[in-house]
Amino acid sequence: MTDSGPAPLPASDRPDTAARLRDALLAASFTADGLLDLLGAAAYAALARSETVPALRATRGDTPLETLVRLFLLQQPVPRARVADVLPVAEALEGGWLTPVGGDEVAATVDVRPYGGPGGEDWFIVSDLGCAVGGAGGIGQHDEGVVLGVGGASTTLAGITVRTPVAAALDLGTGSGIQALHAAQHATRVTATDLNPRALHTTALTLALSGAPAADLRVGSLFEPVRDDETFDLIVSNPPFVISPGARLTYRDGGMGGDDLCRSLVQQAGERLTEGGFAQFLANWQHVAGEDWQDRLRSWVPRGCDAWIVQREVQDVTQYAELWLRDAGDHRGDPAEYQARYDAWLDEFEARKVRAVGFGWITLRRTGSAEPVVTVEEWPHPVEQPLGETVRAHFDRLDYLRAHDDAALLESHFRLAGEVVQEQVGLPGAEDPEHVVLRQHRGMRRATKVDTVGAGFAGVCDGTLSAGRILDAIAQLVGEDPVLLRDRTPAQIRLLVEQGFLEPVG
């Protein structure tokens, strides 16, 4: 990038050039695994922190892979003759992937980052120079209009997305195209939108260089480029969710007041979904004085949709402002300007009575049920990624529980989910535990308290006996009236099913 803005991008209408570049990159092992082998764990991790010195030291040789790392990841000029041993230089120069530097050197015009797909695919994410995670510039050099590469938010959304085969998928605010690339593996048709035309151009490059089918690329904000009669089986978005005073940076600032952009995105998604379709977003939301944040988010959910909203993190307004001021590199500039921007951020929050900002995941599923279920919870604990199958199973369980009243539940058969353990908590030497906890080691890795009946019930669920027969046996063992036990236990069974500790059989 230069003072006049981002550099010109490579041509996106030359599929043969992209295919030959891809072949050359793969032949040189310019892949996620190849980088780890070349750089070693320490230098590889440092590169992800935008620290390039260890990677520079590890690429002082002249192997094809070292050449490509210095060229595309470290943005170092490389002698043309050396690059010619690895890439079709003339074609890359003509297509705009490389540019001449000095007399006999060439440099990359874009970041190209190897990225491992969920099935072991070797993909490549294109972004502006210095704007890829692990790129040479790192955070703090993001001019207006630039296109970022893969960050933690990108991989989080990719990991939680439900990956069932679908006819049509929509990626709103596609950026460098990582969500569209994932969707192309299980969607017949992928549509990608972005307010920034440069982002759509970059997405086309990412898809072509990764060997993926082209997407239907449309310019516009959120759902604006989508026709009124279009619906999708899957909608995903890592939107510009940052709550900020103004819209200084297109790639992150929503440009609407407060969290209105995220609210609008969620509210408008319902009518764009096919029956049973999923919409999955990352979002920020305000914690406003005098309001329950969970009620605030419930009000966003469109009619006719189940929802699962998970708050993963909360920051007070000062932490939040400092995070995004640093993201833009403002802390490195004029102190007076930094203070003025900090003040503007706090003024905005004060005017809106915002005390904190939450971050998390929002998943909607279009349902034909007259009684949609909306779950809003806080879960800051570690989870197992990818989580897409866990998300899908959560909504399947909602359908099951809706279809089974207590009588039907007692006639049903259940199996204890895999890798669930029981923990007993109490004083040392006590005859009985104070309470019993069931803990998952997969998916959301939940833990929930149960009474002794619940623990005993879960422990013998192997799918052979109905819930009612198991409770009758427990009642006989503990000397309790089986009718009373059948009356009071279904609520506990429902909770264990809803949270994934018990799985319906058949």
Side-chain angles (χ1 to χ4, degrees), residues 161-431:
T161 300
V162 176
R163 298 295 177 194
T164 53
V166 296
L170 172 64
D171 176 16
L172 293 173
T174 187
S176 61
I178 178 60
Q179 309 306 329
L181 179 56
H182 276 278
Q185 311 309 305
H186 63 104
T188 303
R189 175 172 57 88
V190 176
T191 301
T193 73
D194 205 289
L195 183 63
N196 182 5
R198 187 177 182 86
L200 297 175
H201 190 143
T202 303
T203 292
L205 298 175
T206 289
L207 294 173
L209 198 59
S210 298
D216 178 4
L217 305 176
R218 305 181 191 178
V219 178
S221 176
L222 303 181
F223 288 102
E224 286 178 3
V226 179
R227 298 191 306 273
D228 291 342
D229 61 346
E230 282 186 288
T231 57
F232 301 87
D233 308 296
L234 175 66
I235 300 172
V236 293
S237 183
N238 176 19
F241 52 66
V242 176
I243 300 170
S244 61
R248 185 160 62 106
L249 299 173
T250 301
Y251 72 88
R252 68 166 207 194
D253 298 328
M256 298 184 187
D259 51 17
D260 284 354
L261 182 138
C262 291
R263 176 185 54 79
S264 298
L265 183 63
V266 173
Q267 289 179 335
Q268 294 174 25
E271 62 186 7
R272 303 295 186 179
L273 286 173
T274 58
E275 191 69 26
F278 285 92
Q280 298 186 263
F281 314 111
L282 300 186
N284 275 182
W285 44 79
Q286 298 172 149
H287 286 229
V288 179
E291 289 187 20
D292 183 293
W293 69 270
Q294 293 179 318
D295 289 342
R296 180 185 185 83
L297 289 174
R298 287 189 186 96
S299 73
W300 292 8
V301 178
R303 294 180 62 184
C305 289
D306 290 327
W308 185 19
I309 302 173
V310 182
Q311 180 167 274
R312 296 287 289 160
E313 184 180 359
V314 181
Q315 291 183 317
D316 67 46
V317 292
T318 59
Q319 291 174 310
Y320 188 81
E322 290 162 15
L323 170 66
W324 294 110
L325 286 166
R326 287 180 175 275
D327 170 81
D330 293 324
H331 63 301
R332 299 174 182 167
D334 178 23
E337 187 174 343
Y338 174 82
Q339 182 175 338
R341 284 182 172 154
Y342 201 152
D343 270 332
W345 225 303
L346 296 185
D347 286 344
E348 177 83 2
F349 285 135
E350 186 175 335
R352 295 180 176 275
K353 300 181 180 179
V354 177
R355 300 294 180 261
V357 177
F359 168 82
W361 318 323
I362 298 177
T363 299
L364 308 176
R365 186 193 57 170
R366 189 80 187 174
T367 177
S369 172
E371 298 180 357
V373 176
V374 176
T375 302
V376 184
E377 62 177 321
E378 185 165 17
W379 191 255
H381 312 293
V383 299
E384 180 190 40
Q385 284 278 34
L387 208 62
E389 180 59 23
T390 298
V391 173
R392 184 201 60 77
H394 169 86
F395 288 92
D396 285 349
R397 293 193 297 270
L398 293 185
D399 284 341
Y400 175 86
L401 292 171
R402 259 195 299 249
H404 290 73
D405 60 17
D406 286 356
L409 207 65
L410 292 174
E411 292 299 317
S412 300
H413 295 237
F414 300 96
R415 179 187 298 113
L416 187 66
E419 298 192 39
V420 173
V421 299
Q422 176 179 303
E423 300 173 358
Q424 298 188 28
V425 181
L427 294 174
E431 183 175 346

Side-chain angles (χ1 to χ4, degrees), residues 406-474:
D406 286 356
L409 207 65
L410 292 174
E411 292 299 317
S412 300
H413 295 237
F414 300 96
R415 179 187 298 113
L416 187 66
E419 298 192 39
V420 173
V421 299
Q422 176 179 303
E423 300 173 358
Q424 298 188 28
V425 181
L427 294 174
E431 183 175 346
D432 296 313
E434 292 179 15
H435 58 263
V436 178
V437 173
L438 298 182
R439 187 178 301 278
Q440 301 168 345
H441 286 277
R442 303 298 303 272
M444 290 294 286
R445 295 176 175 165
R446 295 187 183 278
T448 189
K449 281 185 183 181
V450 291
D451 60 21
T452 53
V453 171
F457 179 87
V460 298
C461 279
D462 61 3
T464 58
L465 297 176
S466 69
R469 290 186 63 187
I470 293 174
L471 290 178
D472 290 343
I474 292 175

Side-chain angles (χ1 to χ4, degrees), residues 10-79:
S12 60
D13 58 353
R14 300 190 179 195
D16 292 343
T17 298
R20 278 188 278 275
L21 283 175
R22 172 176 171 79
D23 290 343
L25 297 177
L26 293 176
S29 296
F30 188 65
T31 64
D33 289 341
L35 288 183
L36 184 58
D37 289 342
L38 171 67
L39 302 178
Y44 191 78
L47 195 60
R49 300 190 301 270
S50 299
E51 295 292 345
T52 59
V53 172
L56 286 167
R57 292 173 61 85
T59 56
R60 289 180 291 194
D62 57 2
T63 66
L65 180 54
E66 288 170 294
T67 297
L68 293 176
V69 171
R70 293 181 74 86
L71 188 65
F72 286 117
L73 288 187
L74 303 177
Q75 277 98 64
Q76 299 293 306
V78 179

Side-chain angles (χ1 to χ4, degrees), residues 82-103:
R82 183 172 162 187
V83 177
D85 292 335
V86 188
L87 300 176
V89 171
E91 193 171 2
L93 285 166
E94 185 180 355
W97 293 89
L98 301 177
T99 186
V101 178

Side-chain angles (χ1 to χ4, degrees), residues 482-501:
V483 175
L484 294 177
L485 192 61
R486 278 175 171 253
D487 284 344
R488 71 177 175 85
T489 306
Q492 191 168 191
I493 296 175
R494 285 186 180 279
L495 179 64
L496 293 176
V497 172
E498 181 182 347
Q499 295 190 343
F501 290 92

